[in-house]
Amino acid sequence: MAEVEKIILPGGIIDRPGSTLDYKTGTWRVKKPVVDLNKCTGCLLCWIYCPEPAIRKRDDGKIEFDYDYCKGCGICSVECPTKAIKMEEE
Amino acid sequence: MSLLQPKTLKPMSTSEAIAYAVKQANVDVIAAYPITPQTIIVERLSEYVNNGELDAEYVAVESEHSAMSACVAASLTGARVFTSTASQGLALMHEVLYVASGLRCPIVMAIANRALSAPINIHCDHSDVMGSRDAGWVHIFVENAQQAYDRIFQAFRLAEDNDILLPVGVNLDGFFLSHAVEGVATISDSEAALFLPPRKAKYYIDSSMPMTFGAFALPDWYFEIKYQVVEAMEKVPKKLAEVEEAYYKMTGRMYGHVGAYRTEDADVCLICAGSAAATAKFSVARMREKGIKAGLLSIRLFRPFPVESILPHVKDAKALIVMDRAMSPGAPSAPIGQDIKTMLYDAGLNIPVANFVYGLGGRDISAAEFESITTKVIEDLKAGRPIERGVKYWGVRI
Amino acid sequence: MMSVSEIKSIKELYGLDLIAPGHRACAGCGALVGVRQILLASKRPLIVVNATSCLEVTSTPYPQTMWKVPWVHLLFENAAAAASGIEAALKVLSRKYGRQEHYIIAFGGDGGTFDIGIQALSGALERGHRFLYVCYDNEAYMNTGIQRSGATPLGAATTTSPVGARIVGKQQQKKDLMEIVVAHKIPYAATASPSHWKDLVNKVRKAQSYDGPSFIHLIATCTRGWYFDPSESIKVARLAVETRYWPLYEVENGRYRITNPVPNPKPLEEFLKVQRRLSHLLLPENADLLEKLKAYVNERWERLNKLSTCFA
Ligand code: SF4
Ligand code: SF4
């Protein structure tokens, strides 16, 4: 391993909270969610049901996706009450 | 200073001496489960806590597995942690022992060594600790109540050193030591506090530095993380010597990694661990009176195996007799026998070793028996007969 | 009942995430949705304890971690004992040296809770440590490849209870873990589903308001082990509630209350047919299994209903 020189903390403690950010799970995706902002009411139900989370609130209160991490599961698309999210081929 | 003070000895069983030391060590968390013959230790500690003499949390867990689990978690939280067990209890803790060392938890545990089932037996042998000897714990054997008392302080100071961060087992022979009352010289509470100030952990579970403990390591990292235990273990002999030096300055008492008696010119050296060392010492003294050139080496630091401390005492002997209080069925030697033979091989020494398993399930061994074992080896040497290799089972009726 | 400020809107939770993306859970993992919601609602400062499980493995691929809170994993069966040790340590360290007290949540899967970890859980509940234990229940040992556990429902196909020519799926009913937990007389125990997020997050708040052990039994839909499309993870959890398969209730100081009455339940078949682990129960030759499972679901609901009524 090239990184072996890196200091390993006692017992392999990880001191970088939230460091899975280093790993882009967006590459797993087969289909990607796309939001129709005209239909989005900003209810955030998609956000509360996203397992990653890979959904952010925009300044206008509507949502956007973080495609670096979205795995394309499609939960948001199924759960959106206004059917604002479509799953599209990558 | 205290060297010059007259010593007043307090009569205590080894278990009580340990509990008293643990109280003076001002531990924070004790998580334990009762098992004979260690129970007196945790009974006394419960009394200290319930009487307000020790400000600690006593977690009366529902099993030894949970005892060690709670100890590991409390240790990771930054607490000074003690527990005590024996026999089946240590066996039930087995998988957690590796977590304690792997996560670098400076837990101190008294192990009142006892035989393992089946058949069930509550008396002394070393099968319990020998089954755990590869778990990454430092192991110390004590030979009397005084050593047990002193080693508790030393064990905490060693374990909690940031260069070490390994759990330490203080092994005392079940019943032979745990229930035997002796006079013990104690240190004052202020001396204890000076020798062992509150633990200052560098990394601990706290929201001020949200860290992940016990992550999932795949083949790309597991080996390196695990190797830390080896590196820490290698530092133990020197660090323990420093700790003992500091303790010696305060008390005038020092035990070393091994206990040596008349090894300088010994033709045959007995090697053993635990309470049998005192019997063997008496036996060696008697043999010397008869002109038999025997010596004794007791293993006090067992893990890491103190090769550097043992070699000078045995390198000139004509034969060694290793007395093991545990079996390793199917192995070429019993546990300490294996270590001694490996040590000799690495040192390029071809000293014959007679390896005996003795005293299983609490069967006593007498000075006379040590003498007959030793004289037989010496007679063989004199007659030019080869020393019988392999493992022999002393006194078993077959 | 304790007065606890109620979470009424999602907006109150936005920005409170305690996990980061990039974790390796399967796409559409129901457990992660539930765990995320629990953490959003949790009081702080918080320490998380995790039993060996999918959650533990996928969230801490060394040298990375998804956790933004202190997190500790020791072994499979000892999460409750580990939580006990942390609670005891913080108690004494705050008393002696002024260390900050923390809330503690322990997560275990159904294997780590119903089966191998039940002794440690029972011990910790009996001793009364202040912590919240969450069993996220995907009804089988998913981490090792979908083997049956004490939580697996009657008839379900797993890799150790396959649908065979002679024996069809698991032959035993699911263990009633809630009743075991409630028998410890802890102040608060509840069931929950990530589909009913508001019910869940408020149960977390309530659980954490007690100075003692509390318990949440969370349904965790598993796309791999239950065989459904990842996009339906929440839908399947909702069907579990709407068919009364997963009653949402709480037991607060011994008082039962159904928190989500299902006056017009959907037929159980609706829940079964969307997942391949259970859909074979709809075949005519398995009618007896289906009847037994239905009877189990109905009897439990009736009993809970009666208990709720008598405490109302
Ligand atoms: S669920 Fe639909 S409407 Fe609600 S915020 Fe998400 S995209 Fe917008
Ligand atoms: S597709 Fe899945 S992972 Fe991607 S944003 Fe939607 S819920 Fe999150």
Side-chain angles (χ1 to χ4, degrees):
Chain A
M1 288 296 300
E3 289 175 274
V4 163
E5 317 84 66
K6 198 193 111 152
I7 295 163
I8 304 171
L9 296 179
I13 297 168
I14 304 172
D15 65 347
R16 295 186 308 131
S19 46
T20 46
L21 284 173
D22 291 355
Y23 185 86
K24 305 278 162 47
T25 47
T27 57
W28 296 12
R29 202 168 51 238
V30 182
K31 286 183 177 174
K32 73 171 182 187
V34 176
V35 63
D36 178 348
L37 291 174
N38 293 321
K39 289 192 189 164
C40 174
T41 62
C43 69
L44 293 182
L45 276 169
C46 54
W47 172 81
I48 199 95
Y49 291 130
C50 175
E52 305 312 320
I55 296 175
R56 282 189 298 255
K57 191 166 73 172
R58 294 158 28 121
D59 288 344
D60 63 3
K62 301 183 183 204
I63 62 100
E64 63 184 8
F65 299 103
D66 187 341
Y67 292 115
D68 278 349
Y69 303 104
C70 165
K71 290 172 185 162
C73 68
I75 290 176
C76 53
S77 166
V78 169
E79 295 301 324
C80 171
T82 66
K83 299 274 165 268
I85 301 171
K86 294 253 154 352
M87 299 305 288
E88 292 182 356
E89 295 296 329
E90 276 287 327
Chain B
M1 219 170 33
S2 51
L3 286 179
L4 307 171
Q5 286 165 2
K7 290 275 183 304
T8 45
L9 301 184
K10 290 185 187 151
M12 287 186 211
S13 69
T14 307
S15 298
E16 289 169 322
I18 286 174
Y20 190 58
V22 170
K23 171 177 108 73
Q24 290 186 299
N26 192 16
V27 299
D28 301 310
V29 175
I30 301 150
Y33 187 80
I35 184 170
T36 305
Q38 71 80 22
T39 321
I40 300 169
I41 300 175
V42 296
E43 286 172 356
R44 286 300 164 276
L45 287 169
S46 305
E47 286 168 18
Y48 291 139
V49 170
N50 283 10
N51 289 334
E53 295 172 70
L54 169 62
D55 188 4
E57 285 294 311
Y58 186 99
V59 188
V61 285
E62 79 298 332
S63 74
E64 288 91 351
H65 193 284
S66 285
M68 187 46 64
S69 302
C71 284
V72 169
S75 185
L76 290 175
T77 311
R80 176 167 293 158
V81 178
F82 176 82
T83 187
S84 179
T85 193
S87 181
Q88 310 303 133
L90 188 64
L92 187 56
M93 282 179 184
H94 192 66
E95 65 162 345
V96 202
L97 298 177
Y98 290 77
V99 180
S101 61
L103 292 179
R104 311 294 300 282
C105 298
I107 297 160
V108 173
M109 170 162 67
I111 307 168
N113 303 113
R114 167 186 149 181
L116 286 173
S117 287
I120 188 169
N121 173 295
I122 57 166
H123 293 280
C124 172
D125 69 36
H126 297 163
S127 309
D128 50 7
V129 62
M130 290 306 164
S132 315
R133 68 193 194 273
D134 292 334
W137 283 57
V138 174
H139 280 289
I140 292 169
F141 278 98
V142 300
E143 294 158 17
N144 53 47
Q146 186 67 59
Q147 282 188 21
Y149 173 80
D150 296 331
R151 287 297 198 186
I152 291 295
F153 299 102
Q154 298 175 6
F156 275 116
R157 186 142 146 183
L158 173 74
E160 292 173 5
D161 189 294
N162 278 326
D163 285 341
I164 305 295
L165 291 181
L166 287 176
V168 178
V170 176
N171 291 268
L172 62 146
D173 282 355
F175 290 109
F176 292 127
L177 291 182
S178 63
H179 288 56
V181 176
E182 297 176 86
V184 176
T186 57
I187 57 177
S188 69
D189 288 354
S190 54
E191 282 174 314
L194 214 58
F195 184 76
L196 203 60
R199 182 179 166 206
K200 286 265 175 294
K202 196 166 167 197
Y203 304 99
Y204 51 91
I205 302 170
D206 194 276
S207 59
S208 60
M209 40 174 180
M211 298 190 290
T212 285
F213 296 79
F216 181 55
L218 285 166
D220 53 351
W221 286 106
Y222 178 87
F223 207 169
E224 282 71 25
I225 295 170
K226 212 64 185 168
Y227 184 69
Q228 286 186 334
V229 174
V230 176
E231 287 182 312
M233 201 55 98
E234 282 168 357
K235 293 179 188 153
V236 167
K238 186 166 169 280
K239 191 65 75 176
L240 179 60
E242 288 168 20
V243 168
E244 277 221 76
E245 187 64 40
Y247 195 78
Y248 174 79
K249 283 192 182 129
M250 184 172 73
T251 64
R253 294 189 294 274
M254 181 179 254
Y255 305 113
H257 303 157
V258 294
Y261 179 64
R262 308 209 62 173
T263 53
E264 325 78 57
D265 61 340
D267 286 337
V268 173
C269 188
L270 281 161
I271 297 174
C272 66
S275 63
T279 316
K281 188 174 178 182
F282 179 74
S283 177
V284 168
R286 237 171 33 184
M287 285 189 269
R288 285 284 180 163
E289 281 168 18
K290 297 178 189 170
I292 302 167
K293 286 172 82 176
L296 167 71
L297 193 88
S298 61
I299 305 294
R300 289 175 178 169
L301 176 62
F302 170 62
R303 280 292 178 271
F305 200 66
V307 170
E308 302 301 323
S309 306
I310 299 171
L311 268 178
H313 293 287
V314 302
K315 65 178 187 344
D316 299 322
K318 298 195 175 79
L320 304 180
I321 301 169
V322 180
M323 303 297 292
D324 263 291
R325 205 161 205 154
M327 307 194 287
S328 184
S333 304
I336 300 177
Q338 292 174 26
D339 289 344
I340 292 290
K341 289 180 190 178
T342 307
M343 178 196 75
L344 293 174
Y345 183 88
D346 285 353
L349 294 170
N350 190 11
I351 303 173
V353 175
N355 190 187
F356 290 88
V357 169
Y358 75 100
L360 296 194
R363 186 169 297 179
D364 211 352
I365 188 162
S366 66
E369 288 173 280
F370 277 115
E371 187 170 334
S372 71
I373 290 168
T374 312
T375 43
K376 164 83 169 55
V377 169
I378 285 178
E379 277 163 20
D380 285 347
L381 282 174
K382 277 195 187 136
R385 283 191 296 269
I387 304 296
E388 225 182 305
R389 307 285 173 119
V391 188
K392 290 159 289 290
Y393 294 82
W394 177 256
V396 69
R397 298 189 298 275
I398 42 170
Chain C
M1 212 196 287
M2 299 275 299
S3 71
V4 185
S5 66
E6 201 191 325
I7 298 163
K8 295 200 179 74
S9 135
I10 292 186
K11 308 227 156 54
E12 293 172 51
L13 300 171
Y14 189 81
L16 297 179
D17 262 304
L18 292 179
I19 67 167
H23 58 75
R24 318 294 204 264
C26 301
C29 175
L32 261 286
V33 180
V35 166
R36 211 192 123 220
Q37 292 177 356
I38 287 167
L39 294 175
L40 284 168
S42 172
K43 296 198 193 176
R44 290 137 203 231
L46 175 69
I47 291 168
V48 171
V49 182
N50 211 160
T52 308
S53 58
C54 286
L55 177 65
E56 167 264 324
V57 167
T58 60
S59 67
T60 63
Y62 189 87
Q64 297 165 9
T65 179
M66 86 170 181
W67 303 91
K68 297 180 178 179
V69 283
W71 177 94
V72 59
H73 156 254
L74 306 184
L75 289 163
F76 195 4
E77 69 277 56
N78 67 357
S84 308
I86 295 171
E87 191 248 16
L90 287 176
K91 222 184 209 172
V92 63
L93 292 175
S94 80
R95 197 162 67 217
K96 281 162 95 166
Y97 308 113
R99 267 281 291 277
Q100 188 180 23
E101 292 271 18
H102 287 64
Y103 290 91
I104 301 167
I105 300 181
F107 290 105
D110 49 295
T113 309
F114 279 69
D115 293 349
I116 199 167
I118 197 158
Q119 174 180 317
L121 176 64
S122 174
L125 298 181
E126 182 268 331
R127 291 189 299 273
H129 299 279
R130 179 176 185 159
F131 78 119
L132 165 60
Y133 190 101
V134 177
C135 172
Y136 77 93
D137 183 1
N138 49 30
E139 304 196 314
Y141 291 86
M142 301 312 186
N143 201 19
T144 43
I146 320 164
Q147 291 82 28
R148 66 86 88 187
S149 76
T152 305
L154 179 79
T158 70
T159 54
T160 51
S161 64
V163 174
R166 197 168 68 83
I167 299 171
V168 178
K170 191 188 170 193
Q171 296 297 292
Q172 299 80 20
Q173 297 280 11
K174 185 183 178 85
K175 191 193 278 188
D176 195 340
L177 182 64
M178 275 291 282
E179 285 304 305
I180 296 170
V181 167
V182 167
H184 289 78
K185 314 283 183 218
I186 60 170
Y188 189 79
T191 60
S193 167
S195 58
H196 294 62
W197 66 270
K198 200 184 283 184
D199 178 76
L200 169 55
V201 296
N202 283 304
K203 282 172 174 169
V204 172
R205 285 284 171 94
K206 221 183 238 188
Q208 290 183 325
S209 71
Y210 282 100
D211 186 18
S214 51
F215 181 83
I216 288 180
H217 189 189
L218 178 80
I219 188 172
T221 48
C222 173
T223 152
R224 305 269 301 158
W226 294 16
Y227 301 93
F228 57 77
D229 189 87
S231 65
E232 305 204 314
S233 210
I234 296 302
K235 195 176 120 185
V236 173
R238 191 174 294 112
L239 276 170
V241 175
E242 290 172 349
T243 56
R244 293 180 173 171
Y245 175 81
W246 195 270
L248 296 180
Y249 67 104
E250 63 185 9
V251 186
E252 199 171 1
N253 291 319
R255 303 170 75 90
Y256 284 71
R257 187 171 78 89
I258 290 178
T259 58
N260 183 69
V262 186
N264 303 304
K266 291 183 174 163
L268 186 64
E269 287 86 342
E270 300 279 305
F271 174 63
L272 306 181
K273 74 180 183 201
V274 293
Q275 22 175 345
R276 214 168 75 219
R277 67 167 182 153
L278 286 165
S279 55
H280 55 270
L281 294 189
L282 304 179
L283 297 172
E285 61 266 35
N286 296 328
D288 58 327
L289 276 176
L290 178 63
E291 279 319 302
K292 280 184 196 157
L293 184 60
K294 278 186 168 176
Y296 174 89
V297 168
N298 286 337
E299 280 163 25
R300 187 178 44 171
W301 183 273
E302 285 314 318
R303 182 173 175 277
L304 288 172
N305 206 21
K306 278 186 193 141
L307 284 164
S308 294
T309 323
C310 77
F311 285 115

